[in-house]
Amino acid sequence: MIKSTITESKKLNHPLPDLTYFVKMTHPSSHLFEVGLQIEHWSDSVLNLKMPVWTPGSYLVREYSRHIQDFKAVSKDKQKKLLSQKVGKNHWEVETKEVDNILITYRVFANELTVRTNHLDDTHGYFNGAALFYFLPGLESTPITVEIIPPNSTWKVSTPLPAIPGKVNQFYAKDFDTLVDSPFEIGNHGVYSFEVLGKPHQYSIWGTGNIQPNKLIEDTKKIIEAEANLFGGLPYDDYLFILHLTHKSFGGLEHKNSCSLIYSRFYFRDTEKYNRFLQLVAHEFFHLWNVKRIKPKAIENFNYEQENYTPSLWFSEGTTSYYDTIIPLRAGIYNPKKFLEILGKEITRFLMTPGRKVQPLSESSFDAWIKLYRRDNNSDNCQISYYLKGELVSLLLDLLIRAKHQNKRSLDNVMVQMWEQYGKSEIGFTPHQLQQVIESVADMDLQSFFNLYVDSTEELPFNKYLNPFGLQLKPIMEDENMPYLGIKVQSENNKEIIKFVEKGSPASLEGIDPEDELLAINGIRVTADQLNERLKDHQADEIISVSVFHQDELRTFSVTLGQPQPSGYEIVQIENPSSVQQENLRGWLGKI
Ligand SMILES: [Zn+2]
């Protein structure tokens, strides 16, 4: 954090200023939040205001200040306009000589409905602190009061921040980090309170759909209990789930005492889709330990003005993804068979991503800021998600530890030790310290494991780790008669557009490009829907002609088709497993 010397000296000689944010929404349908910052007991000659460029949990510079308009600064008492100027994309400077009360006002356009941005319309207001509030460099630890002024008396406020006793819609944040970590939901949303392990919890649900709140609460309780059981209790006083139901969406953002979730409104009756939502709940909830308190060193203290690089997101996100799969199993939401089916699908996604051979896991984590959230049509050829590979490396580690210690130890012990050693005191861990904890639980040197599977692109040896549990990975050949071309095609406005060309595939070897418009195979028109069927009319090693428009130019390629490829992978039990293998599997997943 940037700390000016003026501010440092001020801190020594003067009391901290009082900071109060007011958030009004007079015309919600304008999508404009009207924000006021009142500063009292100010004593510096210059006031610096900075808007975060990103929000923790979503590792992308989003430039929140681009939504700010109508900035004004006045002395509150004298109502005198104060001179101000922008000195950076997210940085405002205000002259405050001999002014001790300041009122800053501005408006923030809020029409992006995601968990990490702001949304205001005539049905509700939702915001994240990083996308709405300035911080005062050097004064980040000053307490802040937030007052919400809804457009009418029927709108209520849900936030994990504590309410100030005796005040209406006023909340207390002990510092700027806490303000950023506390989303607000304002409107006529449904509020559902429940208790788990003696602590109050709440769902605040905006939007309608086929959700069944009582069932959701029962299943959420089981998830909370399973995770509390792993870590030994719940490290908060109360917890808030903000849930947005919308057209078609999926996402979550974790906080210390809350999370924001967004999901498709009609995805709650279908069991598969509902279970996917419960995995999202398990994921965001697990984060209250892993990443909100057990933090990589690089984000021990957030720098809100730039990228915060760490090679350890594979643990913060990937290991959390492994647990979002296994926790619902432990909570009785689904059975071991379903769990293995989900894992098989994750392994399929991994093995169908050629980028796994290009980008190491630690590099994927480090480059999150420029790659994971900025995908293009070559991404799958050169990147691997730290969520996905991190999940599968966590699976291997869990299996390795369990097999070596006959299930008396597991990745759970790693989580508990990380919690005891780093999480409880919120001391950031380094990659080396993480490896040390895993090695101490496994009771073995894992340097070569980390070299191969975290820091390089060696293939993950699934069968080696599944075998002690009597399991193996099996390719699924849905279309044994379909030779391999290596393109993905989508119909867009009556055009068949090639969206992906797999690196090393027959199509890529001849020079077919993503965004080419697919026209014909062997001179006859072909559509995205027909492509696979048409390929089945041919054999591997046969040469076909593929015609496309490449930037409006007609091109015809002679492509030699390849051998049929697996359409996926599944985890199956081996024939005649030994009693040790059966015992190991039971210890891991329970009775199958
Ligand atoms: Zn996550």
Side-chain angles (χ1 to χ4, degrees):
M1 293 274 96
I2 298 158
K3 286 193 171 95
S4 73
T5 48
I6 303 169
T7 311
E8 285 297 331
S9 66
K10 186 183 73 62
K11 276 171 97 175
L12 296 175
N13 301 326
H14 303 283
L16 291 172
D18 286 343
L19 305 179
T20 305
Y21 271 108
F22 302 91
V23 182
K24 280 201 286 189
M25 48 218 90
T26 320
H27 306 290
S29 53
S30 69
H31 309 297
L32 286 165
F33 280 114
E34 300 138 75
V35 188
L37 167 59
Q38 186 182 306
I39 305 172
E40 293 182 354
H41 310 304
W42 185 252
S43 52
D44 273 353
S45 56
V46 175
L47 166 67
N48 284 287
L49 297 164
K50 289 187 169 185
M51 177 70 51
V53 304
W54 70 291
T55 199
S58 185
Y59 307 96
L60 177 70
V61 170
R62 292 182 190 275
E63 310 291 18
Y64 290 123
S65 62
R66 71 199 169 96
H67 296 301
I68 292 182
Q69 61 185 65
D70 308 325
F71 180 93
K72 286 193 189 84
V74 295
S75 69
K76 196 188 151 240
D77 293 344
K78 297 171 193 155
Q79 290 293 312
K80 188 181 84 182
K81 188 167 185 265
L82 301 176
L83 282 180
S84 65
Q85 64 170 337
K86 269 196 92 166
V87 292
K89 64 180 182 181
N90 67 324
H91 183 182
W92 282 252
E93 226 176 55
V94 184
E95 281 188 31
T96 53
K97 216 180 245 172
E98 291 168 14
V99 177
D100 107 313
N101 279 310
I102 305 162
L103 179 65
I104 305 292
T105 57
Y106 56 100
R107 299 201 288 174
V108 180
F109 187 72
N111 195 24
E112 198 178 347
L113 183 58
T114 77
V115 292
R116 76 275 281 205
T117 48
N118 301 334
H119 190 247
L120 174 65
D121 67 10
D122 57 7
T123 66
H124 83 144
Y126 168 77
F127 67 81
N128 282 288
L132 203 77
F133 299 128
Y134 293 108
F135 63 92
L136 281 56
L139 293 171
E140 290 88 345
S141 51
T142 310
I144 300 155
T145 299
V146 181
E147 181 172 353
I148 304 293
I149 303 153
N152 63 64
S153 59
T154 67
W155 281 28
K156 56 189 173 291
V157 181
S158 294
T159 175
L161 286 182
I164 297 177
K167 306 279 187 184
V168 179
N169 289 337
Q170 289 193 32
F171 304 89
Y172 173 82
K174 71 178 168 64
D175 51 28
F176 188 73
D177 284 338
T178 307
L179 183 60
V180 164
D181 196 43
S182 307
F184 278 74
E185 177 67 28
I186 307 149
N188 290 317
H189 49 277
V191 170
Y192 305 88
S193 299
F194 55 104
E195 214 172 87
V196 191
L197 302 174
K199 294 196 171 171
H201 293 70
Q202 195 181 89
Y203 263 104
S204 288
I205 305 178
W206 170 79
T208 54
N210 59 8
I211 193 165
Q212 297 168 271
N214 290 339
K215 180 170 166 49
L216 175 61
I217 286 168
E218 283 317 303
D219 290 331
T220 302
K221 275 185 187 173
K222 293 181 204 159
I223 288 168
I224 294 172
E225 279 164 3
E227 296 191 11
N229 186 38
L230 194 166
F231 285 102
L234 296 170
Y236 53 75
D237 295 330
D238 45 52
Y239 192 93
L240 171 67
F241 296 89
I242 294 176
L243 169 58
H244 292 156
L245 302 177
T246 178
H247 163 59
K248 201 168 187 199
S249 218
F250 178 89
L253 188 64
E254 66 276 10
H255 300 288
K256 269 185 169 172
N257 304 334
S258 70
C259 64
S260 295
L261 308 163
I262 188 164
Y263 205 60
S264 300
R265 59 175 88 251
F266 291 117
Y267 276 19
F268 291 84
R269 202 167 310 277
D270 177 271
T271 305
E272 292 264 317
K273 293 184 168 105
Y274 178 59
N275 285 348
R276 186 68 199 91
F277 177 72
L278 293 176
Q279 280 190 261
L280 177 65
V281 170
H283 184 101
E284 303 310 333
F285 195 78
F286 197 84
H287 271 316
L288 80 87
W289 290 277
N290 195 24
V291 95
K292 293 312 302 186
R293 291 173 171 87
I294 306 170
K295 294 166 144 192
K297 194 85 192 163
I299 52 169
E300 184 183 283
N301 297 302
F302 300 119
N303 182 336
Y304 290 108
E305 288 200 86
Q306 63 177 65
E307 293 83 354
N308 294 220
Y309 299 108
T310 167
S312 300
L313 290 180
W314 72 267
F315 179 74
S316 303
E317 286 299 347
T319 304
T320 300
S321 295
Y322 176 62
Y323 276 98
D324 82 36
T325 314
I326 204 162
I327 287 290
L329 168 73
R330 291 181 191 172
I333 308 280
Y334 45 63
N335 60 27
K337 211 170 138 247
K338 188 79 208 166
F339 169 77
L340 291 177
E341 190 187 310
I342 294 170
L343 268 190
K345 285 183 182 159
E346 298 291 78
I347 293 173
T348 297
R349 275 208 298 142
F350 177 70
L351 292 177
M352 301 244 163
T353 307
R356 75 184 187 283
K357 295 178 186 165
V358 178
Q359 188 187 42
L361 183 53
S362 49
E363 191 183 302
S364 167
S365 166
F366 192 88
D367 273 343
W369 300 88
I370 55 166
K371 294 196 172 174
L372 186 90
Y373 293 97
R374 287 190 177 152
R375 289 174 55 80
D376 57 39
N377 54 30
N378 193 46
S379 294
D380 280 345
N381 280 330
C382 64
Q383 298 179 34
I384 192 68
S385 154
Y386 51 83
Y387 284 81
L388 179 57
K389 187 170 179 185
E391 174 185 351
L392 298 175
V393 166
S394 302
L395 164 72
L396 297 193
L397 284 170
D398 197 20
L399 295 179
L400 177 151
I401 298 168
R402 285 175 180 277
K404 180 152 190 276
H405 298 276
Q406 293 81 44
N407 278 307
K408 288 186 184 72
R409 292 186 190 179
S410 71
L411 199 59
D412 289 6
N413 300 87
V414 171
M415 293 318 305
V416 170
Q417 201 171 316
M418 288 299 288
W419 169 239
E420 295 290 337
Q421 222 163 309
Y422 300 101
K424 279 186 175 172
S425 50
E426 295 187 39
I427 298 169
F429 65 85
T430 64
H432 179 67
Q433 288 167 330
L434 170 62
Q435 187 178 326
Q436 276 181 329
V437 168
I438 298 172
E439 286 178 335
S440 77
V441 171
D443 194 21
M444 64 189 285
D445 177 6
L446 290 170
Q447 191 55 49
S448 79
F449 182 99
F450 275 80
N451 288 347
L452 295 174
Y453 309 131
V454 177
D455 296 324
S456 85
T457 55
E458 192 73 17
E459 286 284 20
L460 299 183
F462 293 108
N463 280 331
K464 176 181 162 192
Y465 288 89
L466 288 169
N467 182 270
F469 298 80
L471 299 171
Q472 63 179 344
L473 198 62
K474 196 178 123 202
I476 304 167
M477 297 297 291
E478 258 171 22
D479 291 304
E480 299 206 24
N481 301 321
M482 189 173 79
Y484 174 46
L485 177 59
I487 58 174
K488 286 181 187 159
V489 185
Q490 253 178 36
S491 296
E492 289 176 358
N493 304 322
N494 292 324
K495 290 182 176 177
E496 311 305 311
I497 306 298
I498 297 173
K499 301 310 286 184
F500 180 62
V501 179
E502 191 176 346
K503 197 175 126 192
S505 67
S508 80
L509 294 178
E510 295 305 327
I512 295 175
D513 235 6
E515 297 309 317
D516 284 356
E517 181 186 350
L518 179 65
L519 300 171
I521 287 179
N522 287 351
I524 309 279
R525 182 199 295 273
V526 62
T527 62
D529 296 352
Q530 302 162 343
L531 180 63
N532 287 353
E533 280 306 306
R534 289 284 299 278
L535 286 173
K536 286 181 201 168
D537 291 338
H538 303 277
Q539 311 279 326
D541 296 327
E542 196 180 323
I543 298 173
I544 59 169
S545 77
V546 179
S547 303
V548 303
F549 276 134
H550 176 78
Q551 293 173 359
D552 293 340
E553 281 179 35
L554 178 65
R555 292 190 181 176
T556 297
F557 299 92
S558 294
V559 183
T560 307
L561 293 170
Q563 293 300 322
Q565 301 286 304
S567 53
Y569 296 84
E570 59 185 339
I571 297 173
V572 296
Q573 288 183 270
I574 59 172
E575 277 177 40
N576 306 318
S578 70
S579 57
V580 173
Q581 285 170 318
Q582 289 176 28
E583 186 70 17
N584 280 346
L585 184 59
R586 259 199 306 277
W588 179 33
L589 302 181
K591 199 164 178 296
I592 293 217

